Amino acid sequence: MIPEGHHMAIEKVSSFGEFVKTRRIDLGMTLRDFCEKHALDPGNQSKIERGRLRPPQDQAKLSAFADALELKRDTPMWTRFFDLAFMERGRIPEQVLQDDELMAVLPVLLRTVQNQRLTKEQLIELIERIQEA
């Protein structure tokens, strides 16, 4: 098993598919090997990794997918996996929805970011600064 965080590039990925592909490669598995081991369809898996198919919507399927990628529960990598899945489905992660204090300020944050018309690079920098705080 490859320890989480072994591949530093995975922390910089910005899409669910890119995350999955990077993690699978970190585990030393080809697409076909990964699919065979976890009874997944190689065509669909390829589409997910290329961003042409959205992540599974069902929470149980998503959790099983995270387990297949050997992500430990309640770790930063597990959280990142689910955050990317929710974002690609156009949804707010459940952890955020359950945090009343965060939900109270989220609309203000989103309006501010939208009004400032930040570039992708500026958004990434903002996220990194928030994570360091």
Side-chain angles (χ1 to χ4, degrees), residues 5 25 29 51 53 111 115:
I25 291 169
M29 301 187 83
L53 185 64
R111 274 195 307 275
N115 290 338

Side-chain angles (χ1 to χ4, degrees), residues 112-126:
T112 303
V113 169
Q114 183 179 24
N115 290 338
Q116 295 296 317
R117 300 190 195 284
L118 300 176
T119 66
K120 182 177 180 179
E121 291 77 21
Q122 289 172 317
L123 283 172
I124 291 170
E125 181 182 341
L126 176 62

Side-chain angles (χ1 to χ4, degrees), residues 10-41:
I10 204 162
E11 295 172 2
K12 302 291 184 191
V13 299
S14 60
S15 73
F16 180 80
E18 189 179 8
F19 181 101
V20 169
K21 182 178 182 178
T22 302
R23 181 65 181 163
R24 175 183 56 75
I25 291 169
D26 280 352
L27 294 171
M29 301 187 83
T30 66
L31 180 77
R32 292 212 179 274
D33 290 340
F34 181 78
C35 291
E36 187 175 304
K37 181 177 180 179
H38 300 289
L40 299 170
D41 178 81

Side-chain angles (χ1 to χ4, degrees), residues 46-57:
S46 176
K47 288 176 186 173
I48 286 173
E49 290 185 5
R50 290 181 290 128
R52 297 183 186 259
L53 185 64
R54 288 186 173 182
Q57 189 165 356

